Amino acid sequence: MDLVTFGVQLLNAVQYGLVLFLVASGLTLVFGILGVINLAHGAFYMLGAYTAFWLAAATGSFWIALVGGVAIAFVVGMLMEDVFVRRLYGRDHLAQVLLSFALILILDEVRLHLFGKDVHSVAPPDFLQGSIQLTDTLSYPVYRLAVCLFCLLVALAIFAVLRWTKIGMVVRAGAENREMVRALGISFDRVSRYVFAVGIALAALAGIVVAPISTVYPGMGDGMLILSFVVVVLGGIGSVAGAAIGALAVGLTDTFGKVFFPAFSSVSVYLVMALILLWRPNGILGRREV
Amino acid sequence: MTALLATERLEAFYGASQILHGIDLAIAPGETVALVGRNGMGKTTLLRSLMGLVPTRRGRVAWRGRDIVAAKPEDMARAGIAFVPEGRGIFGSLDVVENLVMAARPRRDGRPGWNLERVFALFPRLRERRRNGGHQLSGGEQQMLTIGRALMTNPDLVLVDEATEGLAPMVAQAIWRTLAAIRQDGIATLVVDKDVASLSGFADRILIMVKGEIVWSGTPAALRAEPAILDRHLGV
């Protein structure tokens, strides 16, 4: 493998990892702070992509699809928290798995009625079309580079909010010890709703930016959900920084696994997960249970 | 004078098992009350129950005469109760300043109260460690931080569980001095600890708890006058 090919694969791996991070960061926060296992998280990734397809087809603008899709997902997330998820706080995991699995089936049905079951494609914005010629035979799509950059900016924004705002402090503290946060007079009622809605919006955002690369299809959320759980467990539940490391690890493993060990490509991610968990049972940045 | 916090026949449960069997308790504004008893007698459960952290509590809990038995932890905290839990409950991923700032709430009467500067004046050690993560602190520093964090909420009552457990004697002395300073500030405290001698040094009243009930209540002087009581309920 020459250097250019390696660079291209590296870019692919990073881009994949960053998209995965957008999905997994919401999942880890909802799991860590709200204490809820949301199996329907991947369904919102899929719905985000379909909404973007619909908005892009209706308006002809990728940007309206992007902003509109995220806004719709945020509002739907607020409503979902209020109507369904709120009832799961403090319940055992079985109740959470049952309800969120039911949500997958319902959201899939909603998708079938609204958008049908066809595979669609979404065109990237005009100025991001085309490729950069790297060598005589290799080129790299501009849109993929833009996705990298955009996801990186969103990731930095997430970290900035967590690091420097009061709500970020509450979210970090809540991931560690929810009870203690409440005993300091901070109610989780509003925080929970925003965390859930932002998580859903991030999943949808990931689905939207990926739509021009991967096409839009009914089962696209399922694989994403499983890999996101791998990322959450790898990084340590509730740790957004851990999710970033985990997502990049999965992106690199998956991409280079396919290049170097094609025969093992379907298990390489899980193999790496098993090894890391042997080394750190609570995830890379997971805190030890007391 | 209305008690700050009063309970009547307070009962608390963990699942099916009853831990508190009808606690009658009254804490006056500014009063320092010590709670002692052997392990497993329900001291921690009483504190957690007063804070609203035990899901099932029955009986009457009144704050300044107002019934609040159904209040949630955040309601109790906003009413003016702060909690220093056993094991301290420091947020390890937040640094010292963040641990303090996230809890900050102004005094209910609008007067200047506890803030970052005053907490650092009380615990100079925390100022030195201000940018250290909570998980990098020693046990004593963590206890200072937990007390400082409780003060940042400008409470009228602080519940302190196991004030000095696991701390070196020198550090424990510093914690006792701090609790005495808090008393000077007019904040009521309910303090659980095993060191009856130190508690007697500054508490207004001592309560002895046995199997989910308060079996004795009186001044430190009254307790000193009856050494048999201590022997029976605390001796090993």
Side-chain angles (χ1 to χ4, degrees), chain A residues 210-280:
Chain A
V210 160
I213 300 174
S214 82
T215 73
V216 180
Y217 58 100
M220 65 187 288
D222 305 345
M224 206 58 176
L225 175 75
I226 293 171
L227 281 176
S228 297
F229 267 115
V230 171
V231 168
V232 169
V233 172
L234 263 186
I237 291 165
S239 168
V240 176
I245 297 171
L248 286 176
V250 169
L252 289 167
T253 308
D254 188 74
T255 305
F256 285 101
K258 278 177 183 148
V259 175
F260 291 118
F261 310 102
F264 295 99
S265 65
S266 59
V267 295
S268 58
V269 166
Y270 305 99
L271 210 62
V272 168
M273 176 177 82
L275 288 174
I276 291 182
L277 290 182
L278 279 175
W279 164 54
R280 289 187 73 89

Side-chain angles (χ1 to χ4, degrees), chain A residues 96-162:
Chain A
Q96 301 178 350
V97 166
L98 279 175
L99 183 91
S100 59
F101 188 68
L103 282 178
I104 295 185
L105 300 178
I106 292 165
L107 291 171
D108 232 27
E109 204 67 19
V110 167
R111 189 259 315 144
L112 188 64
H113 283 280
L114 288 181
F115 309 113
K117 57 183 175 185
D118 296 335
V119 174
H120 297 285
S121 62
V122 175
D126 286 340
F127 80 97
L128 295 177
Q129 279 175 354
S131 300
I132 298 168
Q133 206 66 35
L134 296 171
T135 63
D136 291 343
T137 50
L138 265 177
S139 65
Y140 201 76
V142 176
Y143 183 74
R144 276 180 178 264
L145 276 178
V147 167
C148 264
L149 198 66
F150 179 75
C151 290
L152 199 63
L153 289 177
V154 174
L156 289 175
I158 295 171
F159 280 111
V161 168
L162 285 174

Side-chain angles (χ1 to χ4, degrees), chain A residues 163 172 176 179 182 184, chain B residues 48 74 92-93 98 105:
Chain A
R163 181 71 188 80
R172 277 184 290 147
E176 274 189 59
E179 188 176 74
R182 294 181 69 195
L184 290 170
Chain B
R48 289 177 54 82
E74 51 266 38
S93 64
E98 288 175 330
R105 195 146 3 90

Side-chain angles (χ1 to χ4, degrees), chain A residues 162-164 166 169-170 172-174 176-189, chain B residues 48 51 53 72-74 77-78 83 85 89-94 98 101-105 149:
Chain A
L162 285 174
R163 181 71 188 80
W164 285 302
K166 177 137 182 188
M169 284 182 213
V170 171
R172 277 184 290 147
E176 274 189 59
N177 189 342
R178 195 181 153 82
E179 188 176 74
M180 193 62 231
V181 176
R182 294 181 69 195
L184 290 170
I186 296 161
S187 165
F188 272 101
D189 289 355
Chain B
R48 289 177 54 82
M51 199 64 224
L53 289 169
K72 293 181 286 195
E74 51 266 38
R78 283 180 199 153
F83 186 36
I90 283 299
F91 304 118
S93 64
L94 275 61
E98 288 175 330
V101 166
M102 72 160 288
R105 195 146 3 90
R149 188 177 63 181

